[in-house]
């Protein structure tokens, strides 16, 4: 069980240079157990900040994040995260990276190796166990980062534009890979992306965020059947959903840009 | 041909050795031409064979080893003492605001004081013995090492810390699990660079006041108008520096294998 609740959350940043920035305001979101929730929103609306809040890496300014009704105060191994920038530990091999979380929990070397091998296999990195991250392509690094997060068996998986830096072919392959793994593991996922196709292809529900200060302006249930296949992106159902999100998002992006302009002029 | 002049491209090993030898060889050749053809007076520029004779002499009478030993002892003790304190302090200063707030003002004041300006004071306080050289090397490298290591640790990506927290690391474990390994390559570079400076401080200290050491040997040779021995001293320092650098390179290969893979 891992139900994520975000209740009336606000987040302000205060710095001397720009004063107080309200990144998130009055944001609420209920993500049921085992849901694949996707968040799309204009750049700078606070998507990464939201994931950081759920991960416990940043403190809320108001409201609270809850996992199974327990308030989040600190980061913990129950909420794994995959970052947009490749965040493998460069001094560790792929195997040691994947084992990292397990070694913190004092799990026996045998079991560690077995679990690591399982996930290295699941993301298709066999043969690269002893490679360092500098020897891997971007897609491979991101696969290793996913394996590292999964090997720790978190209840909630937070993914911040994990495929944002990949080319479109690699991206498609990674999306399918992620879905196959998710179908087996059945975790609650909170996935952030810019890409509407990606959002619809992966998600059970797509939440659309407004420009800063970010709140949820629309939630779109994705009725496409599972398991999903890439041909679905051309189905009329997919295109209908895409139109709805695009209209919403376009409006938000436009407003966000106008606001910024006013901000600059005024 | 295009390959040789493409930024960051590797070149054949033979070419690598070839051009290195050629440049060093032409420097040697220039020296031979200038001295044997008497283009520069022998009082200023000794001939290679004179330098060789001087070298054999100081080697056989044991004085070269004596001076070398003194210099090496001074530099290694001074450098070691400085490094074991400055490296951890610098790493913490770059990562913990509280440490930075506490020591940054003092460190920034001290790092702009040229250590050479402190030599007279040090002579007054602790004389001209080995302790004074160690103090000069220590003061010369210590504050620079702190600042350089602080830079290295401040530049560790936030995401590495964040990801480790989401994998279950606590605030204490993050030091050994992330901070130290992430800063290690930069710390090694810092040590390598400051070791070079330490040689400079050492020789300056020995030139100012000493009763032994390579700098002292050079100074004595100057007083005796014996440029060949000056050259022996300079070459010895150069070769010792080269060897130290080699040790750093090998240590990097051994300690930091992930930085040398391609
Ligand atoms: N440490 C910080 N200090 C001050 N302001 C910050 C900080 N981090 C984020 N912000 C501000 O909060 C807002 C949201 O940032 P965030 O990184 O969450 O946006 P995002 O939606 O993830 O953007 P992108 O799509 O470009 O990744 C931004 O406007 C940014 O300026
Ligand atoms: Mg972001």
């Amino acid at each position: 069980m891992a139900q994520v609740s975000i209740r009336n959350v606000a987040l302000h940043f205060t710095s001397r240079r720009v004063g107080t920035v309200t990144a998130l305001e009055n944001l609420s979101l209920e993500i049921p157990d085992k849901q694949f929730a996707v968040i799309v929103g204009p750049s700078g609306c606070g998507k990464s900040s939201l994931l950081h809040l759920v991960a416990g890496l940043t403190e809320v300014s108001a409201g609270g994040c809850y996992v199974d009704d327990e308030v989040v105060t600190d980061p913990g191994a129950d909420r794994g995260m995959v970052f947009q920038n490749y965040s493998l530990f460069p001094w560790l091999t792929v195997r040691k990276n994947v084992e990292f979380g397990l070694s913190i929990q004092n799990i026996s070397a045998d079991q560690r190796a077995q679990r690591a091998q399982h996930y290295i296999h699941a993301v298709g990195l066999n043969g690269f166990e002893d490679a360092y991250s500098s020897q891997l392509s971007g897609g491979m690094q991101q696969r290793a980062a996913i394996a590292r997060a999964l090997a720790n068996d978190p209840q909630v998986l937070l993914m911040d534009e994990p495929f944002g830096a990949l080319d479109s072919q690699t991206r498609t392959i990674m999306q399918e890979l992620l879905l196959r793994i998710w179908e087996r593991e059945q975790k609650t996922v909170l996935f952030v992306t810019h890409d509407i196709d990606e959002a619809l292809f992966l998600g059970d529900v797509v939440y659309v965020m407004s420009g800063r200060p970010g709140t949820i302006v629309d939630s779109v249930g994705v009725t496409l059947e599972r398991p999903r296949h890439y041909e679905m992106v051309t189905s009329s159902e997919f295109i209908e959903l895409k139109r709805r999100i695009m209209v919403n998002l376009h409006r938000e992006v436009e407003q966000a840009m106008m606001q910024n302009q006013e901000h600059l002029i005024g | 041909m295009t390959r040789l002049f493409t930024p960051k491209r590797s070149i054949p090993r033979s070419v690598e050795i070839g051009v290195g030898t050629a440049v060093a060889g032409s420097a040697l050749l220039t020296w031979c031409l200038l001295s044997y053809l008497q283009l520069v007076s022998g009082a200023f520029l000794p001939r290679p064979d004179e330098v060789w004779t001087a070298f054999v002499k100081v080697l056989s009478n044991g004085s070269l080893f004596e001076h070398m030993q003194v210099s090496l002892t001074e530099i290694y003790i001074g450098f070691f003492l400085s490094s074991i304190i400055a490296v951890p302090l610098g790493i913490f200063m770059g990562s913990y605001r509280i440490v930075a707030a506490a020591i940054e003002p003092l460190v920034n004041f001290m790092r702009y004081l040229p250590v050479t300006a402190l030599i007279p004071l040090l002579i007054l306080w602790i004389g001209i013995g080995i302790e004074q050289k160690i103090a000069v090397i220590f003061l010369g490298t210590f504050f620079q090492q702190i600042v350089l290591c602080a830079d290295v640790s401040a530049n560790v990506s936030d995401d590495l810390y964040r990801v480790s927290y989401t994998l279950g690391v606590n605030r204490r474990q993050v030091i050994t699990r992330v901070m130290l390994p992430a800063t290690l390559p930069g710390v090694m570079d810092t040590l390598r660079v400051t070791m070079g400076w330490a040689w400079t401080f050492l020789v300056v200290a020995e030139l100012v006041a000493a009763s032994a050491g390579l700098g002292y040997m050079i100074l004595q040779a100057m007083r005796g108008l014996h440029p060949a021995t000056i050259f022996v001293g300079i070459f010895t320092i150069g070769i010792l520096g080269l060897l130290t650098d080699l040790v750093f390179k090998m240590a990097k290969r051994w300690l930091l294998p992930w930085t040398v893979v391609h």
Side-chain angles (χ1 to χ4, degrees):
Chain A
M1 273 293 290
Q3 179 191 339
V4 178
S5 315
I6 298 161
R7 297 183 194 147
N8 302 314
V9 156
L11 177 65
H12 312 290
F13 290 105
T14 309
S15 68
R16 222 173 303 166
R17 195 181 296 242
V18 286
T20 299
V21 174
T22 304
L24 302 172
E25 193 151 71
N26 204 15
L27 189 151
S28 295
L29 203 55
E30 288 290 328
I31 301 161
D33 185 36
K34 297 191 174 56
Q35 186 176 79
F36 200 123
V38 182
I39 297 173
V40 294
S43 178
C45 73
K47 304 181 295 294
S48 301
S49 305
L50 181 62
L51 290 194
H52 288 178
L53 292 179
V54 178
L57 295 166
T58 315
E59 275 174 52
V60 293
S61 308
C65 299
Y66 303 82
V67 176
D68 292 337
D69 283 322
E70 257 199 63
V71 67
V72 169
T73 53
D74 279 308
D78 58 323
R79 283 151 289 138
M81 188 147 174
V82 180
F83 292 80
Q84 167 164 16
N85 298 315
Y86 313 127
S87 56
L88 292 181
F89 301 116
W91 58 92
L92 297 178
T93 60
V94 167
R95 190 200 316 276
K96 293 287 177 196
N97 262 288
V98 177
E99 284 183 11
F100 186 89
L102 304 171
S103 69
I104 300 290
Q105 300 170 40
N106 292 322
I107 289 175
S108 77
D110 258 9
Q111 236 183 325
R112 235 158 49 200
Q114 209 182 330
R115 284 188 68 86
Q117 197 54 50
H118 173 81
Y119 284 101
I120 288 170
H121 180 78
V123 298
L125 279 180
N126 305 62
F128 290 93
E129 291 88 344
D130 295 317
Y132 290 108
S133 59
S134 58
Q135 296 169 296
L136 302 179
S137 72
M140 290 159 92
Q141 289 186 42
Q142 224 36 349
R143 280 191 264 171
I146 292 170
R148 177 176 63 183
L150 287 171
N152 225 19
D153 196 23
Q155 295 180 300
V156 180
L157 193 57
L158 306 166
M159 307 185 87
D160 190 1
E161 303 192 41
F163 310 142
L166 305 179
D167 63 86
S168 64
Q169 277 82 13
T170 314
R171 187 184 258 249
T172 309
I173 291 167
M174 298 288 288
Q175 289 163 357
E176 286 183 312
L177 182 102
L178 177 64
L179 277 187
R180 297 295 93 82
I181 295 175
W182 176 78
E183 278 153 13
R184 258 182 323 206
E185 304 260 331
Q186 291 285 307
K187 291 187 186 303
T188 309
V189 178
L190 209 60
F191 188 106
V192 163
T193 180
H194 272 120
D195 180 343
I196 302 175
D197 283 355
E198 179 168 85
L200 287 169
F201 180 61
L202 294 173
D204 293 319
V205 181
V206 177
Y207 297 97
V208 181
M209 267 175 89
S210 67
R212 210 182 61 218
T215 49
I216 304 294
V217 291
D218 193 14
S219 82
V220 180
V222 185
T223 43
L224 300 168
E225 65 187 28
R226 292 190 189 268
R228 301 217 175 128
H229 296 285
Y230 222 77
E231 303 86 73
M232 287 180 179
V233 302
T234 53
S235 70
S236 58
E237 197 182 348
F238 189 98
I239 290 168
E240 199 44 53
L241 291 168
K242 184 170 173 179
R243 190 197 317 274
R244 175 169 161 193
I245 296 175
M246 267 173 77
V247 170
N248 263 323
L249 201 56
H250 188 75
R251 190 189 57 230
E252 290 306 328
V253 172
E254 233 171 23
Q255 269 176 13
M257 306 243 297
M258 261 158 59
Q259 250 175 24
N260 281 346
Q261 264 168 15
E262 273 165 28
H263 189 74
L264 288 177
I265 297 164
Chain B
M1 201 57 194
T2 54
R3 185 186 171 81
L4 296 184
F5 297 100
T6 308
K8 303 187 83 168
R9 277 288 283 276
S10 65
I11 56 169
R13 187 98 181 104
S14 55
V15 176
E16 206 174 323
I17 295 172
V19 292
T21 320
V23 170
S26 29
L28 196 66
L29 190 70
T30 313
W31 178 21
C32 290
L33 288 176
L34 290 176
S35 57
Y36 286 119
L37 297 179
Q38 303 257 322
L39 296 173
V40 176
S41 146
F44 298 117
L45 188 69
R47 294 189 314 269
D49 63 293
E50 288 174 324
V51 174
W52 178 254
T53 318
F55 171 66
V56 172
K57 189 173 154 221
V58 291
L59 193 67
S60 55
N61 69 17
S63 63
L64 181 64
F65 268 115
E66 248 167 65
H67 291 306
M68 214 163 91
Q69 204 179 6
V70 169
S71 288
L72 284 175
T73 313
E74 291 165 349
I75 201 166
Y76 284 128
I77 294 179
F79 187 77
F80 178 77
L81 287 179
S82 168
S83 305
I84 54 164
I85 308 172
V87 168
L89 209 55
I91 290 176
F92 290 147
M93 181 172 125
S95 296
Y96 295 104
R97 292 284 148 76
I98 178 84
V99 181
I103 65 174
E104 205 166 19
L106 178 68
V107 168
N108 279 341
F109 173 74
M110 289 302 293
R111 69 185 277 226
Y112 287 114
L113 276 184
V115 68
T116 41
L118 298 176
I119 292 179
L121 191 62
L122 289 171
I123 294 177
L124 204 61
W125 283 352
I126 41 186
I128 60 161
I130 181 168
E131 302 84 0
Q132 181 251 339
K133 312 298 176 303
I134 293 173
V136 169
I137 292 165
F138 181 91
L139 289 174
T141 47
F142 185 74
F143 297 99
Q144 312 296 337
Q145 284 180 334
I146 289 187
V147 173
L148 291 171
C149 287
D151 248 6
V152 168
S153 103
N155 281 327
V156 175
S157 143
D158 283 346
D159 277 351
L160 288 185
Y161 288 116
R162 293 198 184 111
V163 80
S164 73
Y165 288 133
T166 65
L167 289 167
V169 167
N170 64 32
R171 281 190 180 72
R172 194 173 39 78
Q173 290 167 319
V174 84
I175 297 173
T176 50
R177 292 302 197 119
V178 181
M179 199 182 290
L180 294 185
T183 49
L184 203 52
V187 166
M188 284 290 284
D189 287 340
T190 298
L191 292 181
R192 196 171 149 190
V193 170
T194 50
M195 186 57 152
W197 301 348
W199 273 105
T200 311
F201 303 140
L202 173 77
V203 174
V204 171
E206 285 180 347
L207 286 177
V208 173
S211 50
L214 291 169
Y216 171 78
M217 184 179 119
I218 290 173
L219 193 70
Q220 287 301 96
M222 183 203 79
R223 288 185 178 139
L225 296 179
H226 206 272
T229 312
I230 297 183
F231 267 60
V232 173
I234 291 170
F235 275 122
T236 309
I237 294 170
I239 286 166
L240 288 175
L242 218 59
L243 289 177
T244 314
D245 212 53
L246 204 66
V247 171
F248 273 114
K249 264 191 194 151
M250 273 161 36
K252 187 167 178 173
R253 213 164 264 276
W254 182 63
L255 282 171
L256 316 170
W258 69 93
T259 61
V260 284
V261 292
H262 282 295

